[in-house]
Amino acid sequence: MKSTILLYKIISTTSFLILVSVQFFLVYNTYKLKDEHFFISEKNLINENYSKSVRNDKVYPGAQRIIDRYFSQNMSILEDLYRKSPDRFTVFKDKMCDSIFKELRYSSNMDSLFLSIIRNNKLHSDLQYRLVIAAISVTFSNNHYIPLYQAGTYYGSMDSAIQTPAGIIIAGKLTRATKQNQVTFLNVSSPQDHTYQLSFGLYVDSPNRYRAILQLMKPTFALSLLSILAVVMIYFYTFKNWLKQKKIADMKSDFVNSISHEFHTPLATIIIANKNLQNEKVLEKKDNIRPLTNIIERQAQRLKTLFSSVLDITLMNESTLQKKQYFLNDLLDEVLLDYRLKLSDSNIEINFLRDVQNYKVILDRFWFTTMLLNIFENAIKYNNNIIKKIIVTTISKQGIIEIHISDNGIGMSSQTLQHIFEKFYRSNTNNSKEVGGIGLGLFYARQCIDAHKWQMQVNSKEGLGSEFIILIPVEK
């Protein structure tokens, strides 16, 4: 059984981990999709307005004039250095690019342009931007472009604070430029000789981008979490019920084996006794008949008792009880007297300590007696002492009559105490296996307590005996 449960746990855990992985994959892809399409309508509006503003210009309105001036003044110098002195060309082009970037940054009107785009289109006021130049190249002939500046390359002669992987920062306060927040990227060139090629981009985003995306994904997160919780709950509920059903199946199997053995013995005895009664030699003497009939009577009574034990009394409730009023101490005296007469062992001591007041109680005598006898039987069966003791005590406390039944038996573990009132339950200890029974006695005791609307407490420790306390409200 342990190996089956372990295999079940391994399969369930593996399935659960696969489910969580699939859920994570789906949620992550949903996040990436929302990240790519975040503010997509706003991006389209900004792109449209910005592209109109630089349609006949570059970078921002007026920037082309600045860039053209630098190239018109230095084109011949660049060509001459490129052809004659590559090292001096590198130094010169870096200084020229640095001067272009500084003047573009100083003369930028991008803040006012971006603000007007936001206001005219009624966009979120917390949007931020970054305007960058990604590359500058020059051609002297045949459209062969020579790079002067390229994003991703570090230039020692330029300010490191404005160099980013996306390019040189011309304007804007946006901290990160990524593919997700790129609004516009333009590459402007001319087919003529002695011209330049310029690549620049505009990036726009909200400083609360990730928080906003997570807000949008709340329903997705909630559904994913609920589905996982539902699977976990179903798993535990199924696993719990499976264990319960398996336990019940095992107990029923034990019960069938036990009751088959219990029924077999008296039936075999009755059959043998009956065969002897059919023997002519036995019938010749009347003295031989009486012992055989006594045997049949005892074994028939034993069968009757067994049948009574296995009857299902789950329908027993207050309305089915036949209640009458009894003096509690007097009733206990009678029950204990009958039980003492039944005992054949002289090593059993039963003591009754009465409360001073003989309270009247209303109860069903048959089930009350059955309950007490079942508790007595357990006290004797699960007892390894030479002198087996049972002490019955009645006391009254604040309107409650208490019947204490204590013994000096083997006691019970805390695990056993949790299940002693379950139908067909029997402890797995060696002592319990050696003792006969089918696990119905204390189940019936609990049924009797519930039907009378009383309460029962059990105190027990292994090796120290057990104590059953029956709490009966005083009738007014």
Side-chain angles (χ1 to χ4, degrees), residues 161-218:
I162 64 174
Q163 297 187 61
T164 70
I168 295 293
I169 300 175
I170 301 301
K173 297 180 180 179
L174 184 65
T175 56
R176 293 178 69 241
T178 64
K179 184 178 180 180
Q180 283 73 27
N181 56 28
Q182 185 183 80
V183 172
T184 304
F185 191 86
L186 298 174
N187 189 25
V188 183
S189 62
S190 174
Q192 300 176 358
D193 294 341
H194 296 94
T195 58
Y196 65 91
Q197 184 182 65
L198 182 69
S199 300
F200 58 95
L202 177 65
Y203 299 84
V204 180
D205 208 345
S206 168
N208 300 316
R209 176 188 183 89
Y210 298 111
R211 186 186 304 171
I213 294 174
L214 292 176
Q215 287 286 343
L216 292 173
M217 288 192 64
K218 272 186 176 180

Coordinates of all heavy atoms in Angstrom, one line a residue, residues 161-218:
A161 N 28.2 59.8 -21.0 CA 26.8 59.9 -20.4 C 25.7 59.8 -21.5 O 24.6 59.5 -21.2 CB 26.7 61.1 -19.5
I162 N 26.1 60.3 -22.7 CA 25.1 60.3 -23.8 C 25.2 59.1 -24.7 O 24.4 59.0 -25.7 CB 25.2 61.6 -24.5 CG1 26.5 61.8 -25.3 CG2 24.9 62.8 -23.6 CD1 26.6 63.0 -26.2
Q163 N 26.2 58.3 -24.5 CA 26.3 57.1 -25.3 C 25.5 55.9 -24.8 O 25.7 55.5 -23.6 CB 27.8 56.7 -25.4 CG 28.7 57.8 -26.1 CD 30.1 57.3 -26.3 OE1 30.3 56.3 -27.1 NE2 31.1 58.0 -25.8
T164 N 24.7 55.4 -25.5 CA 23.8 54.2 -25.1 C 23.9 53.2 -26.2 O 24.3 53.5 -27.4 CB 22.4 54.7 -24.9 OG1 21.8 55.0 -26.1 CG2 22.3 55.9 -23.9
P165 N 23.4 52.0 -25.9 CA 23.3 50.9 -27.0 C 22.5 51.3 -28.1 O 22.7 50.9 -29.3 CB 22.8 49.7 -26.2 CG 23.2 49.9 -24.8 CD 23.1 51.4 -24.6
A166 N 21.5 52.2 -27.9 CA 20.6 52.6 -29.0 C 21.1 53.7 -29.8 O 20.7 54.0 -30.9 CB 19.2 53.0 -28.4
G167 N 22.1 54.5 -29.2 CA 22.7 55.6 -30.0 C 23.0 56.8 -29.0 O 22.8 56.7 -27.8
I168 N 23.3 57.9 -29.6 CA 23.6 59.1 -28.9 C 22.4 59.8 -28.5 O 21.5 60.1 -29.4 CB 24.5 60.1 -29.7 CG1 25.9 59.5 -30.0 CG2 24.7 61.4 -29.0 CD1 26.8 59.3 -28.8
I169 N 22.2 60.2 -27.2 CA 21.0 60.8 -26.7 C 21.0 62.3 -27.1 O 21.9 63.0 -26.8 CB 20.9 60.7 -25.2 CG1 20.8 59.3 -24.8 CG2 19.7 61.5 -24.7 CD1 20.9 59.1 -23.3
I170 N 20.0 62.7 -27.9 CA 19.9 64.1 -28.3 C 19.0 64.8 -27.4 O 19.2 66.0 -27.0 CB 19.4 64.2 -29.8 CG1 20.4 63.4 -30.7 CG2 19.2 65.6 -30.2 CD1 21.8 64.0 -30.7
A171 N 17.9 64.2 -27.0 CA 16.9 64.8 -26.1 C 16.1 63.8 -25.4 O 16.0 62.6 -25.8 CB 16.0 65.8 -26.9
G172 N 15.4 64.2 -24.3 CA 14.5 63.3 -23.6 C 15.0 62.7 -22.3 O 16.2 62.6 -22.1
K173 N 14.1 62.3 -21.5 CA 14.4 61.8 -20.1 C 14.1 60.3 -19.9 O 14.3 59.8 -18.8 CB 13.7 62.6 -19.1 CG 14.0 64.1 -19.0 CD 13.3 64.8 -17.9 CE 13.6 66.3 -17.9 NZ 12.9 67.0 -16.8
L174 N 13.6 59.7 -21.0 CA 13.3 58.2 -20.9 C 14.6 57.5 -20.5 O 15.6 57.6 -21.2 CB 12.7 57.7 -22.2 CG 12.2 56.3 -22.1 CD1 11.1 56.1 -21.2 CD2 11.8 55.8 -23.6
T175 N 14.5 56.6 -19.5 CA 15.7 55.9 -19.0 C 16.1 54.8 -19.9 O 17.3 54.5 -20.0 CB 15.4 55.4 -17.6 OG1 14.3 54.5 -17.6 CG2 15.2 56.5 -16.6
R176 N 15.2 54.1 -20.5 CA 15.6 52.9 -21.3 C 14.9 53.0 -22.7 O 13.7 53.3 -22.9 CB 15.1 51.6 -20.7 CG 15.8 51.3 -19.4 CD 15.3 50.1 -18.7 NE 15.7 48.9 -19.5 CZ 14.8 48.0 -20.0 NH1 13.5 48.3 -19.9 NH2 15.2 47.0 -20.7
A177 N 15.7 52.7 -23.7 CA 15.2 52.6 -25.1 C 15.3 51.2 -25.5 O 16.4 50.6 -25.6 CB 16.1 53.5 -26.0
T178 N 14.2 50.6 -25.8 CA 14.1 49.2 -26.2 C 13.2 49.0 -27.5 O 12.6 50.0 -27.9 CB 13.5 48.4 -25.1 OG1 12.1 48.8 -24.9 CG2 14.2 48.5 -23.8
K179 N 13.2 47.8 -28.0 CA 12.4 47.6 -29.2 C 10.9 47.7 -28.9 O 10.2 48.2 -29.7 CB 12.7 46.1 -29.6 CG 12.0 45.8 -30.9 CD 12.3 44.4 -31.4 CE 11.6 44.0 -32.7 NZ 11.9 42.6 -33.1
Q180 N 10.5 47.4 -27.6 CA 9.1 47.5 -27.2 C 8.6 49.0 -27.2 O 7.4 49.2 -27.5 CB 8.9 46.9 -25.9 CG 8.8 45.4 -25.9 CD 10.2 44.8 -26.1 OE1 11.2 45.4 -25.7 NE2 10.3 43.6 -26.7
N181 N 9.5 49.9 -26.8 CA 9.0 51.3 -26.7 C 9.5 52.2 -27.9 O 9.4 53.4 -27.8 CB 9.4 51.9 -25.4 CG 10.9 51.9 -25.1 OD1 11.7 51.9 -26.0 ND2 11.2 51.9 -23.8
Q182 N 10.0 51.6 -28.9 CA 10.4 52.3 -30.1 C 9.2 52.8 -30.9 O 8.3 52.0 -31.3 CB 11.3 51.4 -31.0 CG 11.9 52.2 -32.2 CD 12.7 51.2 -33.1 OE1 12.1 50.5 -33.9 NE2 14.0 51.3 -32.9
V183 N 9.1 54.1 -31.1 CA 8.0 54.7 -31.9 C 8.3 54.9 -33.3 O 7.6 54.6 -34.2 CB 7.5 56.0 -31.2 CG1 6.5 56.7 -32.1 CG2 7.0 55.7 -29.8
T184 N 9.5 55.5 -33.6 CA 9.9 55.8 -34.9 C 11.4 55.5 -35.1 O 12.2 55.8 -34.2 CB 9.7 57.3 -35.2 OG1 8.3 57.6 -35.0 CG2 10.0 57.6 -36.7
F185 N 11.7 55.0 -36.2 CA 13.2 54.8 -36.6 C 13.3 55.1 -38.1 O 12.7 54.4 -38.9 CB 13.7 53.4 -36.3 CG 15.2 53.3 -36.4 CD1 16.0 53.6 -35.3 CD2 15.8 52.9 -37.6 CE1 17.3 53.5 -35.3 CE2 17.2 52.8 -37.7 CZ 18.0 53.1 -36.5
L186 N 14.1 56.2 -38.4 CA 14.2 56.6 -39.8 C 15.7 56.6 -40.2 O 16.6 56.8 -39.5 CB 13.7 58.1 -39.9 CG 12.2 58.3 -39.6 CD1 11.9 59.8 -39.6 CD2 11.3 57.5 -40.6
N187 N 15.8 56.2 -41.5 CA 17.1 56.1 -42.1 C 17.1 57.0 -43.4 O 16.4 56.7 -44.3 CB 17.5 54.7 -42.5 CG 18.9 54.5 -42.9 OD1 19.8 55.3 -42.6 ND2 19.2 53.5 -43.7
V188 N 17.8 58.2 -43.3 CA 17.7 59.2 -44.4 C 19.0 59.2 -45.1 O 20.1 59.3 -44.5 CB 17.4 60.6 -43.8 CG1 17.2 61.6 -44.9 CG2 16.1 60.5 -42.9
S189 N 18.9 59.1 -46.4 CA 20.1 59.2 -47.3 C 19.8 59.8 -48.6 O 18.7 60.1 -48.9 CB 20.7 57.8 -47.5 OG 19.8 57.0 -48.2
S190 N 20.9 60.0 -49.4 CA 20.7 60.6 -50.7 C 21.6 59.8 -51.7 O 22.7 59.4 -51.4 CB 21.2 62.1 -50.7 OG 21.2 62.6 -52.0
P191 N 21.1 59.7 -52.9 CA 21.8 58.9 -53.9 C 23.0 59.6 -54.5 O 23.8 59.1 -55.3 CB 20.8 58.6 -55.0 CG 19.8 59.7 -54.9 CD 19.8 60.1 -53.5
Q192 N 23.2 60.9 -54.2 CA 24.2 61.7 -54.8 C 25.6 61.5 -54.1 O 25.6 61.0 -52.9 CB 23.9 63.2 -54.7 CG 22.6 63.5 -55.5 CD 22.2 65.0 -55.3 OE1 22.8 65.8 -54.6 NE2 21.1 65.4 -56.0
D193 N 26.7 61.8 -54.8 CA 28.0 61.7 -54.2 C 28.2 62.9 -53.2 O 27.5 63.9 -53.3 CB 29.1 61.8 -55.2 CG 29.0 60.6 -56.1 OD1 28.5 59.6 -55.7 OD2 29.6 60.7 -57.3
H194 N 29.1 62.7 -52.3 CA 29.4 63.7 -51.3 C 28.2 64.1 -50.4 O 27.9 65.3 -50.3 CB 30.1 65.0 -51.9 CG 31.4 64.7 -52.6 ND1 31.4 64.4 -54.0 CD2 32.6 64.6 -52.1 CE1 32.7 64.2 -54.3 NE2 33.5 64.3 -53.2
T195 N 27.5 63.1 -50.0 CA 26.4 63.3 -49.1 C 26.6 62.4 -47.9 O 27.5 61.6 -47.8 CB 25.0 63.0 -49.8 OG1 25.1 61.6 -50.3 CG2 24.8 64.0 -51.0
Y196 N 25.6 62.5 -47.0 CA 25.7 61.7 -45.8 C 24.4 60.9 -45.5 O 23.3 61.3 -46.1 CB 26.0 62.6 -44.5 CG 24.9 63.6 -44.2 CD1 23.9 63.3 -43.3 CD2 24.9 64.8 -44.8 CE1 22.9 64.2 -43.0 CE2 24.0 65.8 -44.5 CZ 23.0 65.4 -43.5 OH 22.0 66.4 -43.2
Q197 N 24.5 59.9 -44.7 CA 23.3 59.1 -44.4 C 23.2 59.2 -42.8 O 24.2 59.1 -42.1 CB 23.6 57.6 -44.8 CG 22.4 56.7 -44.5 CD 22.7 55.3 -44.9 OE1 23.6 54.6 -44.3 NE2 22.0 54.8 -45.9
L198 N 21.9 59.3 -42.4 CA 21.6 59.6 -41.0 C 20.5 58.6 -40.5 O 19.5 58.5 -41.2 CB 21.2 61.0 -40.7 CG 20.9 61.4 -39.3 CD1 22.2 61.4 -38.5 CD2 20.3 62.8 -39.2
S199 N 20.8 57.9 -39.4 CA 19.7 57.0 -38.8 C 19.4 57.6 -37.4 O 20.3 57.8 -36.6 CB 20.2 55.6 -38.7 OG 20.5 55.1 -40.0
F200 N 18.2 57.8 -37.1 CA 17.8 58.3 -35.8 C 16.4 57.7 -35.4 O 15.7 57.2 -36.3 CB 17.7 59.8 -35.8 CG 16.7 60.4 -36.9 CD1 15.4 60.7 -36.5 CD2 17.2 60.6 -38.2 CE1 14.6 61.3 -37.5 CE2 16.3 61.1 -39.1 CZ 15.0 61.4 -38.8
G201 N 16.2 57.7 -34.1 CA 14.9 57.0 -33.6 C 14.3 57.8 -32.4 O 15.1 58.4 -31.7
L202 N 13.0 57.6 -32.3 CA 12.3 58.2 -31.2 C 11.7 57.0 -30.3 O 11.0 56.1 -30.9 CB 11.2 59.1 -31.7 CG 10.3 59.7 -30.6 CD1 11.1 60.7 -29.7 CD2 9.1 60.5 -31.3
Y203 N 11.9 57.1 -29.0 CA 11.4 56.1 -28.1 C 10.5 56.8 -27.1 O 10.9 57.8 -26.5 CB 12.6 55.4 -27.4 CG 13.5 54.6 -28.4 CD1 14.5 55.3 -29.0 CD2 13.3 53.3 -28.6 CE1 15.4 54.6 -29.9 CE2 14.2 52.6 -29.5 CZ 15.2 53.3 -30.1 OH 16.0 52.6 -31.0
V204 N 9.3 56.2 -26.9 CA 8.4 56.8 -25.9 C 7.8 55.7 -25.0 O 7.5 54.6 -25.5 CB 7.2 57.5 -26.7 CG1 6.2 58.1 -25.7 CG2 7.7 58.5 -27.6
D205 N 7.7 56.0 -23.8 CA 7.2 55.0 -22.8 C 6.7 55.7 -21.6 O 7.0 56.9 -21.3 CB 8.3 54.0 -22.4 CG 7.7 52.6 -22.1 OD1 6.5 52.6 -21.8 OD2 8.5 51.7 -22.0
S206 N 6.0 54.9 -20.8 CA 5.5 55.4 -19.4 C 6.5 54.9 -18.4 O 7.0 53.8 -18.4 CB 4.1 54.9 -19.1 OG 3.8 55.1 -17.8
P207 N 6.8 55.8 -17.4 CA 7.7 55.3 -16.3 C 7.1 54.2 -15.5 O 7.8 53.4 -14.8 CB 7.9 56.5 -15.5 CG 6.8 57.4 -15.8 CD 6.4 57.2 -17.2
N208 N 5.8 54.0 -15.6 CA 5.1 52.9 -14.9 C 4.6 51.8 -15.8 O 3.6 51.2 -15.6 CB 3.8 53.5 -14.1 CG 4.2 54.6 -13.1 OD1 5.2 54.4 -12.4 ND2 3.5 55.7 -13.1
R209 N 5.4 51.6 -16.8 CA 5.1 50.6 -17.9 C 4.8 49.3 -17.3 O 3.7 48.7 -17.6 CB 6.2 50.6 -18.9 CG 6.0 49.5 -20.0 CD 7.2 49.4 -20.9 NE 7.0 48.4 -21.9 CZ 6.5 48.7 -23.1 NH1 6.2 50.0 -23.4 NH2 6.3 47.8 -24.1
Y210 N 5.7 48.7 -16.5 CA 5.6 47.3 -16.1 C 4.4 47.2 -15.1 O 3.7 46.2 -15.0 CB 6.9 46.9 -15.5 CG 8.0 46.9 -16.5 CD1 9.1 47.8 -16.4 CD2 8.0 46.0 -17.5 CE1 10.1 47.8 -17.3 CE2 9.0 46.0 -18.5 CZ 10.1 46.9 -18.4 OH 11.0 46.9 -19.3
R211 N 4.3 48.3 -14.3 CA 3.1 48.2 -13.3 C 1.8 48.3 -14.1 O 0.9 47.6 -13.7 CB 3.2 49.4 -12.4 CG 2.2 49.4 -11.3 CD 2.2 50.7 -10.4 NE 3.6 50.9 -9.9 CZ 3.9 52.0 -9.3 NH1 3.1 53.0 -9.1 NH2 5.1 52.2 -8.8
A212 N 1.8 49.1 -15.1 CA 0.5 49.1 -15.9 C 0.2 47.8 -16.6 O -0.9 47.4 -16.7 CB 0.6 50.3 -16.9
I213 N 1.3 47.2 -17.1 CA 1.1 45.9 -17.8 C 0.6 44.8 -16.8 O -0.3 44.0 -17.1 CB 2.4 45.4 -18.5 CG1 2.8 46.3 -19.6 CG2 2.3 44.0 -19.0 CD1 4.2 46.0 -20.2
L214 N 1.2 44.8 -15.6 CA 0.8 43.9 -14.6 C -0.7 44.1 -14.2 O -1.4 43.2 -13.9 CB 1.7 44.0 -13.3 CG 3.1 43.5 -13.6 CD1 4.0 43.7 -12.3 CD2 3.2 42.0 -13.9
Q215 N -1.1 45.4 -14.2 CA -2.5 45.7 -13.9 C -3.4 45.2 -14.9 O -4.4 44.6 -14.6 CB -2.6 47.3 -13.8 CG -2.1 47.9 -12.6 CD -2.9 47.7 -11.3 OE1 -4.1 47.3 -11.4 NE2 -2.3 47.9 -10.2
L216 N -2.9 45.3 -16.2 CA -3.7 44.7 -17.3 C -3.8 43.2 -17.2 O -4.8 42.6 -17.7 CB -3.1 45.1 -18.6 CG -3.2 46.6 -19.0 CD1 -2.4 46.9 -20.3 CD2 -4.7 47.0 -19.2
M217 N -2.8 42.6 -16.6 CA -2.7 41.1 -16.6 C -3.4 40.6 -15.3 O -3.3 39.3 -15.1 CB -1.3 40.7 -16.7 CG -0.7 40.9 -18.1 SD 0.9 40.0 -18.2 CE 0.4 38.3 -18.0
K218 N -3.9 41.4 -14.5 CA -4.6 40.9 -13.3 C -5.6 39.8 -13.5 O -5.5 38.7 -12.8 CB -5.2 42.0 -12.5 CG -4.3 42.8 -11.5 CD -5.0 43.8 -10.7 CE -4.1 44.4 -9.7 NZ -4.9 45.5 -8.9

